């Protein structure tokens, strides 16, 4: 293929997360539209240009703001294109049983020495097997690298269907695939496969439960954060925010027509800077930590989540209201402070799951919350026997 012969091709590196495991996709191509399609799908991070075609590399750089790597002259490594020649991946070609056995022996040796080695050897191995004989080598290498904490196994494939096969090899599957294609449809196909069959960071879910409002009262002014995302929120969607990390309220986006001000479909009026908000990978963040480029977790009224980037955070002094509630199933007490404005809404825990303005909220109303009964340290869940939030 292109990397071995040095023709003008590129590899687009992308990442999707399945649970706690990252699945990566590199797209090897000589068609710029394949690169731009992957970028538009939001799955790109790095382009690897094979060979010495500076023109194609320049076109890729001009089209996308991406990191650029290149394939080494011998076609066996992926290295930094800046000239440092730092290895990022090693290519292992397998076309015979003997080559497969040799690759397995090398993998076993790498796994046994990874914990004690401090070398700069590549932490990604790309298996390039014969097109008609790839499943058995993949399964053998998946098993061989299973005990390695430092090496990740990729498989080179020719279409999205083969990519799925490799990602499911021996149930565990490879850590990533290199899709060799000149067809943007294959890029879209592998994106669809990842979304449908491998839960990604963009396709998570949280459990929402009902909490009964026990108090609503004004508490004066404070520095509140309006979080403007790089995406428009859908109806029923917003952010999980609260005073306690153990329980966050679903705060609706400002995308509901009200007659007072124009809608802001990208905004969640999230409350004071000290509040927690849900972040990707089961973490929380303080609203004060958010800035342009930060990642937030968007959530809809059915608990479906997706990851978005922050475009800006506006911190302004505004009148606040304190809302306290108790989780119906456990009795746990939760609280959230929000701007006292008609455009700020929670979501009712009713069959229709309609937004309700904090100005109309009354004691006894049921609203949606996400409960996470753990302590937090720097946003990460920790196991502590004694802790309290109030």
């Amino acid at each position: 293929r292109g990397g071995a012969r040095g023709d003008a091709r590129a590899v687009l590196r992308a990442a999707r997360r399945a649970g706690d495991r990252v699945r990566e996709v590199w797209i090897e191509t000589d068609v710029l539209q394949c690169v731009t399609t992957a970028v538009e799908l939001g799955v790109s991070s790095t382009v690897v240009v094979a060979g010495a075609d500076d023109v194609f590399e320049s076109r890729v750089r001009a089209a996308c703001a991406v990191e650029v790597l290149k394939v080494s002259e011998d076609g066996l490594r992926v290295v930094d294109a800046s000239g440092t020649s730092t290895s990022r991946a090693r290519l292992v070609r397998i076309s015979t049983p003997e080559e497969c056995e040799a690759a397995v022996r090398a993998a076993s040796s790498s796994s046994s020495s990874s914990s004690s080695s401090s070398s700069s050897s590549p932490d990604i191995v790309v298996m390039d097997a014969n097109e008609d004989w790839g499943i058995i080598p993949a399964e053998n290498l998946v098993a061989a690298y299973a005990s390695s904490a430092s090496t990740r196994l990729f498989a080179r494939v020719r279409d999205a269907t083969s990519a799925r096969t490799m990602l499911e090899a021996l149930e565990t599957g490879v850590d990533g695939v290199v899709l060799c294609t000149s067809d943007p449809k294959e890029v879209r196909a592998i994106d669809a496969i990842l979304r449908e069959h491998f839960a990604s960071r963009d396709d998570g879910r949280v459990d929402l439960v009902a909490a009964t409002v026990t108090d609503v009262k004004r508490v004066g002014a404070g520095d509140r954060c309006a979080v403007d995302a790089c995406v428009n929120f859908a109806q029923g969607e917003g952010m999980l925010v609260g005073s306690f990390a153990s329980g966050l309220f679903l705060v609706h986006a400002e995308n509901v027509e009200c007659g007072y001000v124009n809608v802001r479909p990208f905004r969640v009026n999230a409350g004071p800077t000290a509040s927690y908000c849900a972040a990707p990978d089961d973490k929380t963040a303080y609203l004060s930590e958010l800035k342009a480029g930060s990642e937030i977790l968007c959530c809809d009224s059915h608990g479906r989540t997706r990851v978005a980037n922050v475009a800006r955070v506006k911190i302004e002094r505004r009148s606040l209201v304190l809302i306290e509630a108790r989780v119906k199933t456990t009795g746990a007490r939760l609280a959230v402070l929000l701007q006292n404005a008609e455009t700020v809404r929670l979501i009712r825990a009713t069959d229709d799951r309609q937004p309700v303005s904090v100005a109309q909220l009354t004691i006894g109303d049921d609203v949606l919350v996400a409960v996470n009964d753990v302590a937090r340290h720097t946003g990460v869940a920790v196991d502590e026997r004694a802790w309290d939030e109030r």
Side-chain angles (χ1 to χ4, degrees):
R1 302 290 293 184
R5 296 196 303 268
D7 55 348
R9 303 182 68 83
V11 179
L12 179 65
R13 184 162 167 258
R16 288 294 175 84
R17 180 173 294 275
D20 292 330
R21 185 182 180 198
V22 172
R23 302 279 189 153
E24 284 196 50
V25 177
W26 297 4
I27 300 172
E28 183 177 349
T29 185
D30 53 6
V31 175
L32 186 60
Q33 188 179 353
C34 289
V35 177
T36 57
T37 297
V39 171
E40 290 167 0
L41 290 172
V43 296
S44 64
S45 61
T46 304
V47 172
V48 181
V49 177
D53 191 323
D54 294 336
V55 174
F56 186 59
E57 177 182 339
S58 298
R59 292 178 63 204
V60 171
R61 289 183 184 274
C64 313
V66 291
E67 177 189 15
V68 179
L69 306 179
K70 67 179 181 180
V71 174
S72 62
E73 293 183 0
D74 58 12
L76 298 177
R77 295 176 299 128
V78 176
V79 299
D80 195 308
S82 65
T84 62
S85 297
T86 302
S87 292
R88 295 289 297 274
R90 178 166 52 90
L91 305 179
V92 177
R93 291 179 171 80
I94 299 175
S95 58
T96 66
E98 291 75 19
E99 289 177 342
C100 182
E101 292 176 3
V104 170
R105 287 196 299 270
S108 300
S109 175
S110 173
S111 297
S112 62
S113 61
S114 61
S115 59
S116 59
S117 174
S118 60
S119 69
S120 58
S121 58
D123 62 354
I124 295 176
V125 173
V126 179
M127 180 196 76
D128 187 9
N130 185 296
E131 190 168 353
D132 299 322
W133 188 63
I135 297 178
I136 292 177
E139 291 181 343
N140 290 347
L141 288 178
V142 165
Y145 280 114
S147 60
S148 175
S150 61
T151 303
R152 303 174 61 219
L153 176 65
F154 285 27
R156 207 174 190 185
V157 296
R158 274 68 184 175
D159 55 52
T161 301
S162 299
R164 180 182 175 185
T165 300
M166 291 295 117
L167 291 168
E168 294 176 337
L170 211 65
E171 294 188 9
T172 301
V174 297
D175 297 295
V177 293
V178 178
L179 175 62
C180 305
T181 184
S182 298
D183 187 353
K185 292 181 181 179
E186 290 295 334
V187 180
R188 297 188 183 94
I190 197 168
D191 177 66
I193 286 172
L194 288 171
R195 290 182 180 276
E196 181 177 358
H197 299 285
F198 301 92
S200 74
R201 299 176 73 224
D202 294 345
D203 298 317
R205 184 177 290 274
V206 298
D207 291 328
L208 297 177
V209 298
T212 302
V213 174
T214 58
D215 200 4
V216 181
K217 61 184 178 183
R218 296 180 181 179
V219 293
D223 296 330
R224 76 94 174 93
C225 295
V227 180
D228 294 351
C230 293
V231 299
N232 285 340
F233 290 90
Q235 291 296 315
E237 190 177 31
M239 291 174 57
L240 293 165
V241 181
S243 296
F244 311 150
S246 56
L248 303 177
F249 292 72
L250 181 52
V251 181
H252 200 280
E254 291 192 349
N255 58 0
V256 179
E257 295 284 353
C258 67
Y260 296 102
V261 295
N262 293 331
V263 297
R264 303 287 191 270
F266 48 79
R267 176 173 296 171
V268 173
N269 194 327
T273 54
S275 294
Y276 289 105
C277 70
D281 304 324
D282 194 30
K283 296 180 180 179
T284 59
Y286 292 116
L287 291 179
S288 63
E289 297 173 334
L290 299 183
K291 59 184 178 181
S294 297
E295 287 188 331
I296 56 173
L297 193 70
C298 309
C299 180
D300 71 10
S301 59
H302 297 280
R304 295 182 293 253
T305 64
R306 57 175 174 146
V307 178
N309 290 102
V310 173
R312 76 181 68 83
V313 177
K314 295 177 62 178
I315 301 177
E316 300 162 314
R317 194 154 184 84
R318 294 290 187 268
S319 175
L320 300 176
V321 59
L322 171 66
I323 300 165
E324 295 181 301
R326 288 195 178 276
V327 179
K328 293 178 74 70
T329 54
T330 65
R333 175 181 171 270
L334 305 178
V336 64
L337 285 131
L338 296 168
Q339 182 178 341
N340 187 17
E342 292 83 354
T343 55
V344 181
R345 296 172 172 85
L346 299 179
I347 299 181
R348 294 188 185 277
T350 53
D351 290 341
D352 57 4
R353 302 186 182 219
Q354 290 296 306
V356 54
S357 170
V358 296
Q360 300 173 339
L361 200 63
T362 60
I363 295 174
D365 286 345
D366 290 339
V367 295
L368 293 176
V369 299
V371 178
N372 193 356
D373 193 22
V374 296
R376 296 274 173 176
H377 177 67
T378 64
V380 179
V382 294
D383 184 14
E384 290 186 347
R385 292 186 178 181
W387 63 277
D388 187 25
E389 293 178 305
R390 59 179 110 182

